[in-house]
């Protein structure tokens, strides 16, 4: 009854079945995490070895985490990348995501309408018996439809270009939503060098979703450079 409501002592919190981690592994994980969040990488692991056994448990880890009180400072490029890549994290990201969805619908609708026959949607070619008849002439979409499609492609290009450029300055381990990449980096026994900016861009580019985004806008530029390829 006397101990009711009191915080248990560390010796009582430590369970015999609590898994223990060697000090060297614990220090490697914490130093990597400190370096990743750009904090002071100096970490004295010996102070958490309370029983001088060369290992730490869950209680020691919680103590270290509480004393450290980590705060992640994102740079401006990282904030832009996270906003565009993971729209659920902030209001601006959700608004951009809605605008992208609307632009996709408008772009698809414009393309469908531009293929419909009729002078309301296309600039017609002279008929066979007209003096201006040209056998190579093909109906073209109305200028308004072309301008709308161009505006949508420019919007897609800017959004993709911002993600591509800022990916070079973004710590993907922190930006990843599932944090699996971060976990693998922390517990790996291999020496993990810091990726170069070029490598980060390549990692971004080869992702299937980003390759699809690129394939969606590339045809417009090809047709603009080489008319008639569309």
């Amino acid at each position: 009854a006397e101990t009711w409501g009191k915080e248990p002592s560390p010796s009582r919190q430590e369970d015999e079945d609590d898994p223990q981690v060697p000090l060297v592994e614990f220090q490697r994980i914490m130093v990597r995490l400190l370096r990743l969040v750009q904090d002071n990488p100096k970490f004295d692991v010996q102070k958490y070895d309370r029983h001088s056994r060369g290992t730490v448990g869950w209680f020691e880890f919680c103590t270290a985490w509480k004393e450290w009180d980590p705060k992640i400072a994102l740079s401006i490029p990282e904030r832009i990348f996270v906003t565009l890549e993971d729209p659920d994290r902030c209001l601006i990201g959700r608004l951009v995501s809605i605008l992208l969805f609307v632009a996709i619908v408008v772009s698809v609708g414009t393309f469908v309408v531009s293929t419909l026959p009729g002078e309301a949607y296309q600039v017609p070619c002279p008929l066979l018996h007209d003096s201006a008849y040209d056998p190579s002439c093909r109906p073209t979409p109305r200028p308004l439809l072309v301008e709308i499609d161009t505006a949508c492609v420019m919007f897609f290009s800017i959004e993709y270009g911002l993600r591509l450029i800022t990916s070079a300055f973004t710590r993907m381990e922190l930006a990843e939503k599932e944090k699996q990449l971060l976990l693998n980096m922390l517990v790996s026994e291999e020496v993990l060098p810091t990726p170069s900016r070029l490598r980060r861009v390549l990692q971004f580019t080869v992702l299937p979703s980003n390759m699809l985004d690129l394939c969606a806008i590339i045809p417009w530029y090809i047709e603009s450079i080489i008319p008639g390829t569309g």
Side-chain angles (χ1 to χ4, degrees):
E2 295 180 357
T3 59
W4 180 261
K6 294 183 179 180
E7 183 178 352
S9 62
S11 59
R12 294 189 59 183
Q13 286 187 354
E14 185 177 25
D15 193 339
E16 293 296 334
D17 297 331
D18 186 22
Q20 300 292 303
V21 177
L23 283 180
V24 64
E25 294 185 9
F26 181 55
Q27 182 172 13
R28 181 178 67 234
I29 292 173
M30 294 302 294
V31 169
R32 285 180 176 178
L33 185 58
L34 288 166
R35 185 179 293 115
L36 179 64
V37 299
Q38 298 178 351
D39 203 339
N40 185 2
K42 296 180 180 180
F43 181 74
D44 183 13
V45 72
Q46 297 294 336
K47 63 182 291 188
Y48 300 105
D49 185 14
R50 296 183 296 107
H51 301 295
S52 301
R53 296 181 302 186
T55 60
V56 295
W58 181 247
F59 178 79
E60 289 82 5
F61 172 78
C62 292
T63 302
W65 190 267
K66 183 178 180 180
E67 291 178 356
W68 175 33
D69 189 22
K71 294 180 177 62
I72 301 175
L74 297 178
S75 64
I76 294 179
E78 287 177 324
R79 292 178 183 274
I80 295 175
F81 181 86
V82 172
T83 299
L84 298 177
E85 188 72 12
D86 190 2
D88 293 334
R89 295 192 180 188
C90 65
L91 177 60
I92 296 178
R94 288 192 287 271
L95 292 177
V96 173
S97 178
I98 293 174
L99 289 176
L100 280 172
F101 178 77
V102 172
I104 291 173
V105 173
V106 172
S107 179
V108 173
T110 301
F111 173 77
V112 173
V113 170
S114 66
T115 62
L116 297 177
E119 295 186 9
Y121 311 111
Q122 295 182 340
V123 178
C125 292
L127 298 178
L128 179 62
H129 301 290
D130 292 344
S131 58
Y133 173 73
D134 182 2
S136 62
C137 178
R138 296 291 183 273
T140 57
R142 288 291 178 181
L144 178 60
L145 298 178
V146 175
E147 292 174 1
I148 293 175
D149 184 60
T150 300
C152 292
V153 173
M154 291 297 103
F155 182 58
F156 298 147
S157 301
I158 292 173
E159 190 270 343
Y160 179 84
L162 283 175
R163 289 190 292 127
L164 179 66
I165 294 173
T166 55
S167 66
F169 307 92
T170 301
R171 294 163 287 178
M172 296 299 177
E173 302 84 2
L174 299 178
E176 186 190 29
K177 190 172 184 179
E178 300 299 330
K179 296 296 183 290
Q180 188 61 44
L181 186 61
L182 174 62
L183 180 60
N184 293 339
M185 188 205 71
L186 294 179
V187 302
S188 175
E189 296 182 359
E190 300 178 0
V191 178
L192 302 176
T194 303
S196 64
R197 292 178 180 177
L198 178 59
R199 183 174 181 82
R200 292 189 185 280
V201 171
L202 291 177
Q203 290 175 343
F204 169 85
T205 305
V206 299
L207 290 176
S209 58
N210 296 330
M211 294 182 68
L212 288 175
D213 292 340
L214 183 61
C215 291
I217 59 179
I218 282 294
W220 185 90
Y221 289 97
I222 295 177
E223 184 177 0
S224 299
I225 298 173
I226 310 175
T229 57

